[in-house]
Amino acid sequence: MATIRIYGDPILRKKAQTVTKFDDELKEFVKQMKVDMYENDGVGLAAPQVGRSICLAVVDATAGEQEPIVFINPEIYYCSNEKEDAEEGCLSVPNITLPVKRPASISVRAYDEEGKKFTMENLDGLWARAIQHELDHLEGILFVDRASPVHRQLISGKLKKLAKSHRDSSKSE
Ligand code: NI
């Protein structure tokens, strides 16, 4: 099982690299990401969260009722003007949830692990939210960045502690 990178780890702040090789190694990596996502009870997981800075994320908003969808080099090409507030959390920011405002509906295109292009149109609810959250990871953005200033203020102490424990643990390595 991969170690989930935690807030304070610089990889979570990097812009991820475009995937150019759709080979067996990538397929193996995707398989492992799905396992890691379920083992951690995540709705989604982005590659930087398991230590690889590439444009790849897996999402399953059905709680295991279907295979997770693999998004490689994804692009959101439509966002509704209508926005929605909902509570979010992240495996990389443990024990913190905050309301985040995001477009209610999106359309996205991406490649799967075979290198096949696909689109998903007018997604809403948890799918829209989870995909936006995971794609943010590929830009080095975390959900806490999108919370309101008041909410960010409320958790700033917790975030500092997370970042500090990351610094302490990397010193002792
Ligand atoms: Ni996340």
Side-chain angles (χ1 to χ4, degrees):
M1 191 170 128
T3 311
I4 302 288
R5 302 301 183 96
I6 301 298
Y7 187 92
D9 191 317
I11 198 167
L12 296 173
R13 292 309 195 177
K14 269 174 75 176
K15 196 171 161 22
Q17 300 275 310
T18 303
V19 173
T20 51
K21 268 209 297 196
F22 292 82
D23 55 7
D24 287 347
E25 194 278 326
L26 185 78
K27 280 176 208 154
E28 255 332 289
F29 179 65
V30 165
K31 223 187 260 175
Q32 189 54 47
M33 282 210 31
K34 292 179 184 174
V35 172
D36 291 333
M37 182 183 79
Y38 285 132
E39 280 183 350
N40 289 286
D41 291 320
V43 174
L45 187 67
Q49 293 182 276
V50 290
R52 252 177 102 171
S53 193
I54 58 171
C55 288
L56 191 161
V58 294
V59 178
D60 170 25
T62 70
E65 274 177 35
Q66 66 174 63
E67 268 288 293
I69 311 244
V70 180
F71 296 90
I72 298 175
N73 303 336
E75 185 198 348
I76 292 173
Y77 64 92
Y78 164 79
C79 279
S80 63
N81 289 326
E82 191 204 340
K83 296 205 166 124
E84 221 169 60
D85 243 320
E87 201 80 4
E88 288 187 30
C90 178
L91 296 175
S92 295
V93 191
N95 306 318
I96 292 177
T97 61
L98 280 182
V100 178
K101 195 178 276 223
R102 296 190 187 268
S105 166
I106 60 160
S107 297
V108 60
R109 55 177 156 248
Y111 295 85
D112 67 11
E113 66 268 49
E114 308 286 340
K116 218 176 95 194
K117 201 171 186 171
F118 66 94
T119 61
M120 292 172 84
E121 285 187 344
N122 302 315
L123 298 163
D124 55 14
L126 186 55
W127 276 108
R129 183 160 295 273
I131 290 168
Q132 292 178 79
H133 175 118
E134 296 314 324
L135 269 51
D136 270 353
H137 276 297
L138 308 180
E139 302 288 333
I141 299 167
L142 298 171
F143 79 101
V144 291
D145 306 340
R146 296 204 183 272
S148 71
V150 172
H151 284 121
R152 275 210 305 273
Q153 188 58 38
L154 284 174
I155 54 148
S156 66
K158 280 186 181 178
L159 289 180
K160 276 185 198 137
K161 262 185 218 157
L162 280 176
K164 184 177 184 302
S165 63
H166 173 76
R167 280 199 305 276
D168 294 347
S169 66
S170 29
K171 258 182 241 156
S172 61
E173 261 166 26

